[in-house]
Amino acid sequence: MIKKGLNTMEQYAKRKILKTIGFVLLSMFLFGMVLILMISSDERWFAYLILAACVGSLVILRRTKFWHGWRVFLCWILALVIAWSGLFAGQPSGNIQPFTAMNLEQPSASYKLLLNHLTIVDTKSGQLTSNMSILSSDGKILDIAPTGSIKADEDMQIVDASGKYAVPGYLDMHMHVIGEEHASEAMDQLLANGVTGFRQMSGSAELLKEWRSGAFTRSTDQPTVLSMPGDVLTPINAPTPKVAVELVRQQQKEGADFIKSGAVTPEVFAAVQEEAKSLNIPFVGHVLPDLDLKEATRNGFYSIEHFGINNGALISTSTDETTLRAEATGLPSITSNPVFVQLMKIKGLRDFVNKQVIEIAIETSGGEEDSARLQHMIDTYSEEKAIELADVYVENNTWQTPTLIRMHLGLFPNDSSTPVAQGLYDLYLKLAKTYDSEGVKMMVGTDSGAGAIWRDAGNSIHREFDELEKAGISPLHVLQMATLNGAEFLGRLDDMGTVEVGKNADIVLLDANPLESVQNLHKIDAVIRAGSYHGYDELDSIKKNAIK
């Protein structure tokens, strides 16, 4: 009898231990998920208090007679509902005050700079003016005159630039540098390779706030950020037209220069395009292959990146366009599921999932793997339809940033090659030439950034020059794509794009005439950033240090 009682007590103790372990594990699992989301969301402090109160209440109730039967389930449900409510309450406020427009602080050298005996290249006409001098002060070009006619002062730095050709600083109009781990080092590399300004193609509320406060524009040793969006629109943060429109309004208030489409459904794309038009903010980026590029441009899409993305342009230039577009892969239906939409309102979860989606998209940006379908695109390519597409772009003032090196990387990962990949890339080169011949406005962009391969950030623009040359685009037009066109796109021809009095003193000195060969764009002798002179030895040292 005593033994039976002891066994019962032991069984009761084991059950109690198991229940306690189960209670702890379930608490850790359920509330741990909420806590992780709270931490990653950068929420307000009271959300932590709500979570602590829920856990504490469960611990106390478990020690009372109330913790029995159906009431246990009720306690868990109430605690989770309160915790999740606290999580949503702890999200950043949606009441965003419009940013105050301001003239961002521009850098300038502490000295006057006089460059003598150089040839100025007119990026508008291609005219060369030799034996000239350029005087810069306070970050601006103060005077341009024949060498010998500008009086030298004691506080001037004087450079003999005999045999050099002066062109505006290069503009890389598609980059992902800011916000990455090696942003500063990558920007050093950009300047060393002649880039004095770039369009940042991904952003966030935090980065916009930094930039609008004057960050990324103050250094004469690095290029300046020319424009930036908020978060790129994806099925994660813009799953439905309603959510997407709210996000567009929010980004406009935060000071985004433009709205960038990453990958969204046709319904979301249309809603964003309409809202962006009403707010007078440019809508640019990717146009997925299940969307008609011609329709997008007629509705005001301002800048198409990577030929649309995932072979969208090749579908538009195919004689079997209707069939290919109908077969184009759309976004998963889960993105519009009400439960998914509600979960994506949690900032921490949304940001985490969004980052993973973007990384996967970057890795697979070469397009589809169906070789037969890709070969069909190649076989049905029509130059007549390519010209028709280009003419629609010209008619609607739609800009293009081909990023040929990005297309090359997607089609030839790890430098591997297949006949289909080579056939597709040859068509992209051909299409770029058609755009150029028809007068489509294009800009140089590389899609490079400051991640694991940050050392290549500056060299990327020179590889893009080479690909544009392969496409058969003339040296003058490549130079314009790298300088004048970016300034026009940004509406900044008053201070960028040409070497003229009153413009920013952002200049590249070349050893050879860039109008004779695209290869001469590589031959950089010096870079002047806001009037600050960076000679060949300094630039070479920056490049070598990156390799080390």
Side-chain angles (χ1 to χ4, degrees), residues 352-534:
F352 174 78
V353 175
N354 203 39
K355 182 179 180 182
Q356 308 312 310
V357 168
I358 290 175
E359 287 180 356
I360 292 172
I362 290 173
E363 292 175 0
T364 59
S365 63
E368 301 179 39
E369 297 296 330
D370 187 342
S371 296
R373 187 168 183 272
L374 296 176
Q375 185 62 52
H376 186 53
M377 288 183 194
I378 297 170
D379 295 339
T380 58
Y381 179 85
S382 165
E383 182 62 21
E384 183 180 348
K385 291 206 67 177
I387 292 173
E388 177 188 333
L389 177 63
D391 290 345
V392 172
Y393 291 153
V394 173
E395 180 183 352
N396 293 278
N397 195 38
T398 304
W399 290 74
Q400 302 287 317
T401 316
T403 62
L404 284 167
I405 63 165
R406 185 37 165 159
M407 308 306 293
H408 191 280
L409 179 62
L411 289 168
F412 305 112
N414 303 316
D415 293 326
S416 60
S417 177
T418 66
V420 171
Q422 189 61 57
L424 288 171
Y425 191 67
D426 288 344
L427 286 186
Y428 280 122
L429 293 175
K430 189 174 183 179
L431 192 53
K433 175 59 178 175
T434 299
Y435 286 173
D436 178 64
S437 299
E438 292 299 304
V440 176
K441 293 181 177 179
M442 295 195 291
M443 302 176 287
V444 167
T446 62
D447 206 19
S448 58
I453 55 172
W454 62 269
R455 292 172 179 83
D456 198 46
N459 187 50
S460 292
I461 197 168
H462 293 277
R463 291 169 56 204
E464 185 70 6
F465 293 159
D466 291 341
E467 298 307 310
L468 292 168
E469 183 182 39
K470 287 180 187 176
I473 298 176
S474 71
L476 175 59
H477 284 191
V478 174
L479 175 61
Q480 290 172 335
M481 287 176 64
T483 56
L484 182 69
N485 292 5
E488 181 184 349
F489 175 84
L490 296 168
R492 294 188 59 178
L493 284 173
D494 287 343
D495 60 4
M496 294 167 55
T498 59
V499 178
E500 294 181 284
V501 173
K503 300 291 183 77
N504 292 341
D506 293 338
I507 302 168
V508 173
L509 297 185
L510 300 170
D511 285 327
N513 184 356
L515 304 182
E516 292 180 352
S517 171
V518 172
Q519 293 303 304
N520 291 339
L521 291 172
H522 305 321
K523 299 174 181 178
I524 297 175
D525 177 73
V527 176
I528 293 89
R529 168 74 178 110
S532 179
Y533 182 83
H534 304 276

Side-chain angles (χ1 to χ4, degrees), residues 2 8 47 176 188 192 199 203 267 332 352 440 458 498 532:
I2 295 174
T8 301
H176 299 271
D188 290 341
R199 181 172 59 142
E267 296 77 18
F352 174 78
V440 176
T498 59
S532 179

Side-chain angles (χ1 to χ4, degrees), residues 276-329:
K277 193 183 300 181
S278 69
L279 295 174
N280 195 31
I281 184 170
F283 185 32
V284 311
H286 304 165
V287 184
L288 292 183
D290 59 345
L291 288 166
D292 187 343
L293 283 167
K294 292 187 287 293
E295 181 181 351
T297 186
R298 288 185 181 116
N299 291 332
F301 201 66
Y302 191 44
S303 170
I304 295 175
E305 314 298 313
H306 325 300
F307 295 95
I309 205 170
N310 291 355
N311 305 312
L314 298 187
I315 291 177
S316 295
T317 55
S318 169
T319 55
D320 198 15
E321 177 180 359
T322 303
T323 302
L324 287 170
R325 195 173 307 287
E327 294 174 350
T329 305

